[in-house]
Each structure stands twice: as structure tokens, then as C-alpha cells.
Amino acid sequence: EDQVTQSPEALRLQEGESSSLNCSYTVSGLRGLFWYRQDPGKGPEFLFTLYSAGEEKEKERLKATLTKKESFLHITAPKPEDSATYLCAVRPLNYQLIWGAGTKLIIKP
Amino acid sequence: DGGITQSPKYLFRKEGQNVTLSCEQNLNHDAMYWYRQDPGQGLRLIYYSQIVNDFQKGDIAEGYSVSREKKESFPLTVTSAQKNPTAFYLCASSTGVSNVLTFGAGSRLTVL
């Protein structure tokens, strides 16, 4: 069964304290892994797409990486404005996205 | 600015009532989607449409209905048959079934 699991459920960091969020997946053929950011009461905003193991993408303080079993979203020297819920989704062979439950990231000043 | 507009932002429904959530996009995207978001769960697909006058059921279509009469519009009706409709509803669109989704700001439905 296709499945996506994100960990931890919530993560509290001090401003400037780097860390990583995890997205583990089991799918019947990966056609893409997506990271989105969601602020409270709003729709998700697209961050990255990764397609093959070893691929990396960066945007400001965020870097996403991909292996055959999981993806990491690394956040370097975070700021309070990075606080949000980060969602991971995978696209299997049938093209319909499977979403993780998200990681709520809180950055304290 | 191009984007997706969902309305209303908040909606309250009494037991036994049908309600319709609006979703309009000016991105010229072919595909549109409706997702439901509940606390502690991943987004779940309700319905999607790849072209006008055609739509397919997602994983949790029971108790919901949609129409796609125009490329720009994809309204969702939550019927009285949906037993637990309280949730945050998200509309999204993409240029194709395999492309990145653009989301609206969401509509929060509460059953009184």
C-alpha cells in the first residue's frame, strides 16, 4: 500500500538552530516528491519537487534532499517567519498524490 | 494577479442542509481538485477534473458532488449525506495531472 509518513509531528527550535524534517514513503513507482508550506488557516504553497534519488534543491534557508525511501527538508539558521506546517506529498504511478500529515515547525525568537 | 479564489472563507451548516463551496481560478489551468483537510491527517482527495464537463471521484467522494461547466469554476456541494462534514476544504488547480498544484486559501465548514 502506498504510504507517506512525516516526522516529527511537531518541532520547536530556537531561532538559528538548524534541524531537519523527515518524509518517509513507500510507493509503487515514484513520479515525484513534493514539499509544501502551509500557514495557519491558509492553503499550502509549493516549495520543491524532487524526482530521483540524490537530487537536491535549495531555496533560501531550506534544502530538500531525496533518497529511495525518504526525503529530508533541512532548515538552516531558521527565523520565526519560517514557522509553519510543512507538508510532503508523493506522486505514484497512478498520478494521484498521497499526502503526509505534516510537521508543524515552531521557531522561537 | 492570477490565483484561486475560494468562498466563503467560513461556513456554518445545520444538520440536513446542503452547502456549496465556490472555487474560481484565473490561471488557465486545465485540472482542478477538491481536498479535505482534517487535523492530524494528510490531505484527502474528494473529486478532480481534468477537462470541462468531466470529473472523477477521489478517495472520499461519498456525500459530495461537483460540476465543471466552465474551465475557471469547480464548485463543491457538501450534501446532507456527508455524515462528518466539519473540515477545512481546499481547492487546487494545475496545468496537468502530473504538475504542481496551486491552492486556494481554503473554506472552513462547521456543522452546528
Side-chain angles (χ1 to χ4, degrees):
Chain A
E1 180 185 354
D2 296 335
Q3 194 170 6
V4 176
T5 303
Q6 291 189 247
S7 62
E9 290 185 12
L11 182 61
R12 295 176 182 269
L13 301 172
Q14 289 292 136
E15 184 174 1
E17 181 184 1
S18 301
S19 188
S20 297
L21 313 182
N22 178 264
C23 174
S24 298
Y25 63 90
T26 54
V27 291
S28 54
L30 182 68
R31 293 189 179 274
L33 184 143
F34 302 80
W35 283 99
Y36 285 80
R37 169 192 170 127
Q38 186 176 24
D39 292 307
K42 297 187 177 180
E45 293 183 7
F46 171 72
L47 292 173
F48 305 108
T49 307
L50 302 167
Y51 291 102
S52 56
E55 189 174 359
E56 299 183 354
K57 292 209 177 157
E58 290 189 62
K59 180 181 180 180
E60 297 180 355
R61 295 176 291 282
L62 298 176
K63 183 170 79 171
T65 62
L66 181 64
T67 72
K68 289 185 178 180
K69 295 182 178 181
E70 58 192 349
S71 176
F72 291 95
L73 185 64
H74 307 276
I75 182 161
T76 303
K79 299 181 178 182
E81 54 261 41
D82 296 320
S83 298
T85 296
Y86 291 85
L87 305 177
C88 170
V90 298
R91 193 183 297 284
L93 290 175
N94 71 358
Y95 285 98
Q96 291 308 326
L97 289 172
I98 302 169
W99 294 81
T103 293
K104 184 175 183 179
L105 179 64
I106 300 170
I107 309 299
K108 297 177 287 184
Chain B
D1 287 341
I4 298 179
T5 301
Q6 289 188 240
S7 63
K9 179 67 174 176
Y10 299 96
L11 186 60
F12 298 90
R13 192 192 91 170
K14 294 182 179 179
E15 295 278 354
Q17 283 184 335
N18 293 353
V19 294
T20 297
L21 308 181
S22 171
C23 178
E24 302 279 334
Q25 56 102 355
N26 60 4
L27 299 167
N28 199 33
H29 285 174
D30 293 313
M32 297 187 74
Y33 312 80
W34 275 105
Y35 284 94
R36 171 177 172 144
Q37 187 172 36
D38 294 283
Q41 298 188 42
L43 300 184
R44 292 184 289 169
L45 183 63
I46 304 173
Y47 270 98
Y48 66 101
S49 168
Q50 298 181 41
I51 57 173
V52 174
N53 292 322
D54 188 48
F55 48 84
Q56 286 77 40
K57 293 181 178 180
D59 299 321
I60 57 166
E62 184 174 353
Y64 300 97
S65 66
V66 294
S67 63
R68 187 86 186 276
E69 297 177 0
K70 299 186 300 181
K71 185 176 184 178
E72 302 79 17
S73 179
F74 192 41
L76 174 73
T77 297
V78 184
T79 75
S80 57
Q82 170 50 236
K83 297 306 179 186
N84 184 23
T86 294
F88 190 52
Y89 291 88
L90 289 161
C91 179
S93 68
S94 69
T95 56
V97 69
S98 63
N99 291 330
V100 170
L101 299 183
T102 300
F103 284 88
S107 294
R108 185 167 299 279
L109 173 62
T110 303
V111 174
L112 301 175

mmCIF file with all atom_site columns, all heavy atoms in Angstrom, chain B residues 13-18 80 82-83 85 111-112:
data_model
loop_
_atom_site.group_PDB
_atom_site.id
_atom_site.type_symbol
_atom_site.label_atom_id
_atom_site.label_alt_id
_atom_site.label_comp_id
_atom_site.label_asym_id
_atom_site.label_entity_id
_atom_site.label_seq_id
_atom_site.pdbx_PDB_ins_code
_atom_site.Cartn_x
_atom_site.Cartn_y
_atom_site.Cartn_z
_atom_site.occupancy
_atom_site.B_iso_or_equiv
_atom_site.pdbx_formal_charge
_atom_site.auth_seq_id
_atom_site.auth_comp_id
_atom_site.auth_asym_id
_atom_site.auth_atom_id
_atom_site.pdbx_PDB_model_num
ATOM 1  N N   . ARG B 1 13  ? -23.176 25.119 8.825  1.00 0.00 ? 13  ARG B N   1
ATOM 2  C CA  . ARG B 1 13  ? -24.276 24.348 8.252  1.00 0.00 ? 13  ARG B CA  1
ATOM 3  C C   . ARG B 1 13  ? -25.064 23.655 9.340  1.00 0.00 ? 13  ARG B C   1
ATOM 4  O O   . ARG B 1 13  ? -24.463 23.159 10.317 1.00 0.00 ? 13  ARG B O   1
ATOM 5  C CB  . ARG B 1 13  ? -23.726 23.280 7.306  1.00 0.00 ? 13  ARG B CB  1
ATOM 6  C CG  . ARG B 1 13  ? -24.772 22.602 6.428  1.00 0.00 ? 13  ARG B CG  1
ATOM 7  C CD  . ARG B 1 13  ? -24.223 21.368 5.747  1.00 0.00 ? 13  ARG B CD  1
ATOM 8  N NE  . ARG B 1 13  ? -24.440 20.177 6.561  1.00 0.00 ? 13  ARG B NE  1
ATOM 9  C CZ  . ARG B 1 13  ? -24.224 18.937 6.128  1.00 0.00 ? 13  ARG B CZ  1
ATOM 10 N NH1 . ARG B 1 13  ? -23.748 18.749 4.905  1.00 0.00 ? 13  ARG B NH1 1
ATOM 11 N NH2 . ARG B 1 13  ? -24.439 17.913 6.921  1.00 0.00 ? 13  ARG B NH2 1
ATOM 12 N N   . LYS B 1 14  ? -26.353 23.657 9.173  1.00 0.00 ? 14  LYS B N   1
ATOM 13 C CA  . LYS B 1 14  ? -27.195 22.902 10.092 1.00 0.00 ? 14  LYS B CA  1
ATOM 14 C C   . LYS B 1 14  ? -27.332 21.484 9.575  1.00 0.00 ? 14  LYS B C   1
ATOM 15 O O   . LYS B 1 14  ? -27.159 21.212 8.387  1.00 0.00 ? 14  LYS B O   1
ATOM 16 C CB  . LYS B 1 14  ? -28.568 23.563 10.210 1.00 0.00 ? 14  LYS B CB  1
ATOM 17 C CG  . LYS B 1 14  ? -28.551 24.939 10.860 1.00 0.00 ? 14  LYS B CG  1
ATOM 18 C CD  . LYS B 1 14  ? -29.960 25.482 10.982 1.00 0.00 ? 14  LYS B CD  1
ATOM 19 C CE  . LYS B 1 14  ? -29.949 26.848 11.643 1.00 0.00 ? 14  LYS B CE  1
ATOM 20 N NZ  . LYS B 1 14  ? -31.313 27.408 11.762 1.00 0.00 ? 14  LYS B NZ  1
ATOM 21 N N   . GLU B 1 15  ? -27.651 20.592 10.466 1.00 0.00 ? 15  GLU B N   1
ATOM 22 C CA  . GLU B 1 15  ? -27.867 19.198 10.091 1.00 0.00 ? 15  GLU B CA  1
ATOM 23 C C   . GLU B 1 15  ? -28.929 19.114 8.994  1.00 0.00 ? 15  GLU B C   1
ATOM 24 O O   . GLU B 1 15  ? -29.943 19.788 9.058  1.00 0.00 ? 15  GLU B O   1
ATOM 25 C CB  . GLU B 1 15  ? -28.338 18.389 11.296 1.00 0.00 ? 15  GLU B CB  1
ATOM 26 C CG  . GLU B 1 15  ? -27.337 18.267 12.425 1.00 0.00 ? 15  GLU B CG  1
ATOM 27 C CD  . GLU B 1 15  ? -26.321 17.181 12.191 1.00 0.00 ? 15  GLU B CD  1
ATOM 28 O OE1 . GLU B 1 15  ? -26.465 16.439 11.203 1.00 0.00 ? 15  GLU B OE1 1
ATOM 29 O OE2 . GLU B 1 15  ? -25.378 17.072 12.967 1.00 0.00 ? 15  GLU B OE2 1
ATOM 30 N N   . GLY B 1 16  ? -28.669 18.300 7.955  1.00 0.00 ? 16  GLY B N   1
ATOM 31 C CA  . GLY B 1 16  ? -29.660 18.095 6.912  1.00 0.00 ? 16  GLY B CA  1
ATOM 32 C C   . GLY B 1 16  ? -29.590 19.078 5.763  1.00 0.00 ? 16  GLY B C   1
ATOM 33 O O   . GLY B 1 16  ? -30.351 18.962 4.801  1.00 0.00 ? 16  GLY B O   1
ATOM 34 N N   . GLN B 1 17  ? -28.712 20.073 5.846  1.00 0.00 ? 17  GLN B N   1
ATOM 35 C CA  . GLN B 1 17  ? -28.606 21.069 4.791  1.00 0.00 ? 17  GLN B CA  1
ATOM 36 C C   . GLN B 1 17  ? -27.495 20.722 3.795  1.00 0.00 ? 17  GLN B C   1
ATOM 37 O O   . GLN B 1 17  ? -26.471 20.156 4.175  1.00 0.00 ? 17  GLN B O   1
ATOM 38 C CB  . GLN B 1 17  ? -28.286 22.442 5.386  1.00 0.00 ? 17  GLN B CB  1
ATOM 39 C CG  . GLN B 1 17  ? -29.442 23.155 6.037  1.00 0.00 ? 17  GLN B CG  1
ATOM 40 C CD  . GLN B 1 17  ? -29.057 24.541 6.511  1.00 0.00 ? 17  GLN B CD  1
ATOM 41 O OE1 . GLN B 1 17  ? -27.894 24.816 6.787  1.00 0.00 ? 17  GLN B OE1 1
ATOM 42 N NE2 . GLN B 1 17  ? -30.041 25.431 6.601  1.00 0.00 ? 17  GLN B NE2 1
ATOM 43 N N   . ASN B 1 18  ? -27.733 21.087 2.551  1.00 0.00 ? 18  ASN B N   1
ATOM 44 C CA  . ASN B 1 18  ? -26.658 21.050 1.559  1.00 0.00 ? 18  ASN B CA  1
ATOM 45 C C   . ASN B 1 18  ? -25.994 22.421 1.511  1.00 0.00 ? 18  ASN B C   1
ATOM 46 O O   . ASN B 1 18  ? -26.663 23.448 1.666  1.00 0.00 ? 18  ASN B O   1
ATOM 47 C CB  . ASN B 1 18  ? -27.213 20.748 0.158  1.00 0.00 ? 18  ASN B CB  1
ATOM 48 C CG  . ASN B 1 18  ? -27.766 19.343 0.046  1.00 0.00 ? 18  ASN B CG  1
ATOM 49 O OD1 . ASN B 1 18  ? -27.632 18.530 0.956  1.00 0.00 ? 18  ASN B OD1 1
ATOM 50 N ND2 . ASN B 1 18  ? -28.401 19.055 -1.067 1.00 0.00 ? 18  ASN B ND2 1
ATOM 51 N N   . SER B 1 80  ? -26.261 16.529 2.548  1.00 0.00 ? 80  SER B N   1
ATOM 52 C CA  . SER B 1 80  ? -26.669 16.051 3.873  1.00 0.00 ? 80  SER B CA  1
ATOM 53 C C   . SER B 1 80  ? -26.251 14.601 4.083  1.00 0.00 ? 80  SER B C   1
ATOM 54 O O   . SER B 1 80  ? -26.263 14.101 5.208  1.00 0.00 ? 80  SER B O   1
ATOM 55 C CB  . SER B 1 80  ? -28.178 16.192 4.041  1.00 0.00 ? 80  SER B CB  1
ATOM 56 O OG  . SER B 1 80  ? -28.859 15.495 3.012  1.00 0.00 ? 80  SER B OG  1
ATOM 57 N N   . GLN B 1 82  ? -23.283 13.517 3.741  1.00 0.00 ? 82  GLN B N   1
ATOM 58 C CA  . GLN B 1 82  ? -21.926 13.513 4.314  1.00 0.00 ? 82  GLN B CA  1
ATOM 59 C C   . GLN B 1 82  ? -22.084 13.608 5.827  1.00 0.00 ? 82  GLN B C   1
ATOM 60 O O   . GLN B 1 82  ? -22.490 14.640 6.364  1.00 0.00 ? 82  GLN B O   1
ATOM 61 C CB  . GLN B 1 82  ? -21.101 14.681 3.766  1.00 0.00 ? 82  GLN B CB  1
ATOM 62 C CG  . GLN B 1 82  ? -19.770 14.928 4.449  1.00 0.00 ? 82  GLN B CG  1
ATOM 63 C CD  . GLN B 1 82  ? -18.901 13.694 4.593  1.00 0.00 ? 82  GLN B CD  1
ATOM 64 O OE1 . GLN B 1 82  ? -18.492 13.326 5.685  1.00 0.00 ? 82  GLN B OE1 1
ATOM 65 N NE2 . GLN B 1 82  ? -18.609 13.039 3.473  1.00 0.00 ? 82  GLN B NE2 1
ATOM 66 N N   . LYS B 1 83  ? -21.728 12.536 6.518  1.00 0.00 ? 83  LYS B N   1
ATOM 67 C CA  . LYS B 1 83  ? -22.036 12.427 7.940  1.00 0.00 ? 83  LYS B CA  1
ATOM 68 C C   . LYS B 1 83  ? -21.132 13.241 8.845  1.00 0.00 ? 83  LYS B C   1
ATOM 69 O O   . LYS B 1 83  ? -21.499 13.580 9.971  1.00 0.00 ? 83  LYS B O   1
ATOM 70 C CB  . LYS B 1 83  ? -21.985 10.954 8.356  1.00 0.00 ? 83  LYS B CB  1
ATOM 71 C CG  . LYS B 1 83  ? -23.019 10.094 7.643  1.00 0.00 ? 83  LYS B CG  1
ATOM 72 C CD  . LYS B 1 83  ? -24.418 10.667 7.804  1.00 0.00 ? 83  LYS B CD  1
ATOM 73 C CE  . LYS B 1 83  ? -25.445 9.829  7.076  1.00 0.00 ? 83  LYS B CE  1
ATOM 74 N NZ  . LYS B 1 83  ? -26.796 10.478 7.114  1.00 0.00 ? 83  LYS B NZ  1
ATOM 75 N N   . PRO B 1 85  ? -19.083 16.409 8.011  1.00 0.00 ? 85  PRO B N   1
ATOM 76 C CA  . PRO B 1 85  ? -18.563 17.385 7.059  1.00 0.00 ? 85  PRO B CA  1
ATOM 77 C C   . PRO B 1 85  ? -17.680 18.478 7.656  1.00 0.00 ? 85  PRO B C   1
ATOM 78 O O   . PRO B 1 85  ? -17.055 19.225 6.898  1.00 0.00 ? 85  PRO B O   1
ATOM 79 C CB  . PRO B 1 85  ? -19.837 18.006 6.479  1.00 0.00 ? 85  PRO B CB  1
ATOM 80 C CG  . PRO B 1 85  ? -20.815 17.903 7.587  1.00 0.00 ? 85  PRO B CG  1
ATOM 81 C CD  . PRO B 1 85  ? -20.506 16.621 8.306  1.00 0.00 ? 85  PRO B CD  1
ATOM 82 N N   . VAL B 1 111 ? -20.347 22.212 11.101 1.00 0.00 ? 111 VAL B N   1
ATOM 83 C CA  . VAL B 1 111 ? -21.727 21.766 11.256 1.00 0.00 ? 111 VAL B CA  1
ATOM 84 C C   . VAL B 1 111 ? -22.197 22.080 12.669 1.00 0.00 ? 111 VAL B C   1
ATOM 85 O O   . VAL B 1 111 ? -21.544 21.712 13.651 1.00 0.00 ? 111 VAL B O   1
ATOM 86 C CB  . VAL B 1 111 ? -21.855 20.264 10.975 1.00 0.00 ? 111 VAL B CB  1
ATOM 87 C CG1 . VAL B 1 111 ? -23.268 19.789 11.296 1.00 0.00 ? 111 VAL B CG1 1
ATOM 88 C CG2 . VAL B 1 111 ? -21.511 19.987 9.532  1.00 0.00 ? 111 VAL B CG2 1
ATOM 89 N N   . LEU B 1 112 ? -23.327 22.789 12.775 1.00 0.00 ? 112 LEU B N   1
ATOM 90 C CA  . LEU B 1 112 ? -23.823 23.194 14.079 1.00 0.00 ? 112 LEU B CA  1
ATOM 91 C C   . LEU B 1 112 ? -24.670 22.090 14.694 1.00 0.00 ? 112 LEU B C   1
ATOM 92 O O   . LEU B 1 112 ? -25.311 21.309 13.985 1.00 0.00 ? 112 LEU B O   1
ATOM 93 C CB  . LEU B 1 112 ? -24.656 24.479 13.929 1.00 0.00 ? 112 LEU B CB  1
ATOM 94 C CG  . LEU B 1 112 ? -23.878 25.663 13.317 1.00 0.00 ? 112 LEU B CG  1
ATOM 95 C CD1 . LEU B 1 112 ? -24.806 26.825 13.096 1.00 0.00 ? 112 LEU B CD1 1
ATOM 96 C CD2 . LEU B 1 112 ? -22.724 26.044 14.238 1.00 0.00 ? 112 LEU B CD2 1
#
